[in-house]
Amino acid sequence: MTNDKLDRLQQLRNTAVQGGGADAIERQHKKGKLTARERLDVLLDDGSFHEMGLFVGSAPAKFGDSKNHLGDGLVGGAGRINGRRVIVYSQDFTVMGGSLGERHAEKILKLMAKARALGIPIVGIFDSGGARIQEGVQSLAGYASIFRENTISSGVIPQIAVILGPCAGGAVYSPGLQDFTFMVSGSSHMFLTGPDVIKTVLHEEISFEDLGGASVHTGKSGVAHFRSENEVQCLKCVRDLLGYLPSNNKELAPRTGAAGDDPERRDSALGEIVPLDPGKPYEIKGVITSVMD
């Protein structure tokens, strides 16, 4: 390969790694958010990430933005978390708002299929405005295919969704189909339609946080399971969670040593916590405390 071709390859690589460009990255940082690649740096073991589809270009738009964005707003590939193999993908909000287009969806689908074939967990980092409308029905069809893959993988491999930005419309269905969902207070939002539409249609005013913030989904709706104060803390919690999960449905969960609790221990309180009358409530946390080590 000539030096000119090598230089051209390196130039393309540098362009792809920059995502939406320096200005877009700066805007992301000003919001207190990491970029798609910075998030993967926190999530994965150092030096373990092997990217797939770096040079995949955007599909031609039906109207609007027709620029060819290398990577199509998605950074994905294979890596390791605490030494264990995982498949990961991270939506890049600096590229067309992290919107899902045809090639963007194809990359996710290939990664999901790869994770299931290898029998290893998949972690998706979501930061997206939803379907890329300028690509027409292809973007919506991409969502449908992703949802199908979610259901096929359900109960086979762990699927983890990390919400690190605004996720609206089609962008919220896939996280809802996955096993565990993480959110960050103040910056993570999930809703089918935003406050402006609600104000127009229902004549009600509501904030992003009250409509679909981390406190709502971890405290009321139950859509999300973990809430963190910042992105770094959130991604480290994902690393911790994977330490408790098997890689697939054919493996046992990891063991970290003796629990120090007699497996034959009996607790008479269990006989009284659940009332005989099915109409009476009881405190489920008491059951969990008695049963667990």
Side-chain angles (χ1 to χ4, degrees):
M1 186 177 291
T2 65
N3 289 336
D4 289 343
K5 290 184 177 181
L6 288 173
D7 291 341
R8 175 58 177 163
L9 176 63
Q10 188 59 47
Q11 182 182 3
L12 289 172
R13 188 183 301 277
N14 292 339
T15 300
V17 169
Q18 281 295 307
D23 292 341
I25 291 174
E26 185 179 356
R27 288 194 296 271
Q28 184 85 341
H29 287 160
K30 284 183 177 179
K31 296 176 184 177
K33 298 164 61 179
L34 300 175
T35 66
R37 294 181 181 278
E38 290 169 343
R39 289 163 175 166
L40 292 180
D41 287 341
V42 175
L43 177 65
L44 298 172
D45 296 346
D46 291 343
S48 69
F49 181 54
H50 295 278
E51 188 167 356
M52 303 176 188
L54 174 64
F55 299 124
V56 171
S58 304
K62 303 296 183 184
F63 59 89
D65 188 355
S66 59
K67 182 179 178 181
N68 180 27
H69 295 275
L70 293 178
D72 201 36
L74 188 87
V75 183
R80 291 183 181 271
I81 293 179
N82 295 322
R84 291 176 57 192
R85 293 191 302 167
V86 294
I87 295 293
V88 294
Y89 61 88
S90 181
Q91 292 181 313
D92 189 348
F93 195 80
T94 70
V95 178
M96 294 183 285
S99 58
L100 185 135
E102 181 181 0
R103 306 279 170 75
H104 186 118
E106 287 175 355
K107 289 178 68 175
I108 293 177
L109 290 168
K110 288 181 179 179
L111 291 167
M112 296 175 76
K114 177 69 69 174
R116 191 169 63 252
L118 295 175
I120 58 178
I122 184 166
V123 181
I125 300 177
F126 295 82
D127 191 359
S128 171
R132 190 177 302 163
I133 301 302
Q134 58 265 40
E135 286 192 23
V137 72
Q138 282 84 356
S139 62
L140 298 176
Y143 271 127
S145 298
I146 290 171
F147 305 156
R148 180 177 183 273
E149 286 291 322
N150 284 136
T151 60
I152 293 173
S153 297
S154 180
V156 179
I157 57 173
Q159 300 180 81
I160 297 175
V162 188
I163 312 300
L164 296 183
C167 289
V172 303
Y173 291 105
S174 182
L177 291 169
Q178 298 190 36
D179 299 310
F180 298 97
T181 301
F182 289 75
M183 297 185 75
V184 173
S185 297
S187 62
S188 299
H189 300 103
M190 298 174 67
F191 38 69
L192 295 181
T193 190
D196 290 341
V197 176
I198 289 178
K199 183 178 179 180
T200 301
V201 176
L202 300 179
H203 307 291
E204 296 181 11
E205 293 190 11
I206 188 170
S207 67
F208 281 86
E209 195 66 24
D210 291 337
L211 179 60
S215 59
V216 170
H217 288 310
T218 56
K220 294 182 180 180
S221 73
V223 171
H225 309 89
F226 301 92
R227 179 176 65 186
S228 302
E229 295 305 314
N230 58 65
E231 293 191 7
V232 173
Q233 182 187 75
C234 179
L235 293 168
K236 288 183 177 180
C237 285
V238 176
R239 289 177 58 89
D240 291 340
L241 173 65
L242 280 170
Y244 295 95
L245 303 177
S247 291
N248 55 64
N249 60 345
K250 296 182 180 180
E251 292 186 3
L252 294 175
R255 291 184 175 271
T256 58
D261 189 15
D262 183 2
E264 301 298 326
R265 171 178 61 83
R266 300 181 66 83
D267 192 336
S268 59
L270 284 172
E272 303 174 358
I273 291 177
V274 181
L276 294 176
D277 184 352
K280 289 185 177 180
Y282 62 95
E283 178 54 71
I284 188 62
K285 291 182 179 178
V287 177
I288 296 173
T289 301
S290 295
V291 172
M292 303 300 291
D293 294 338

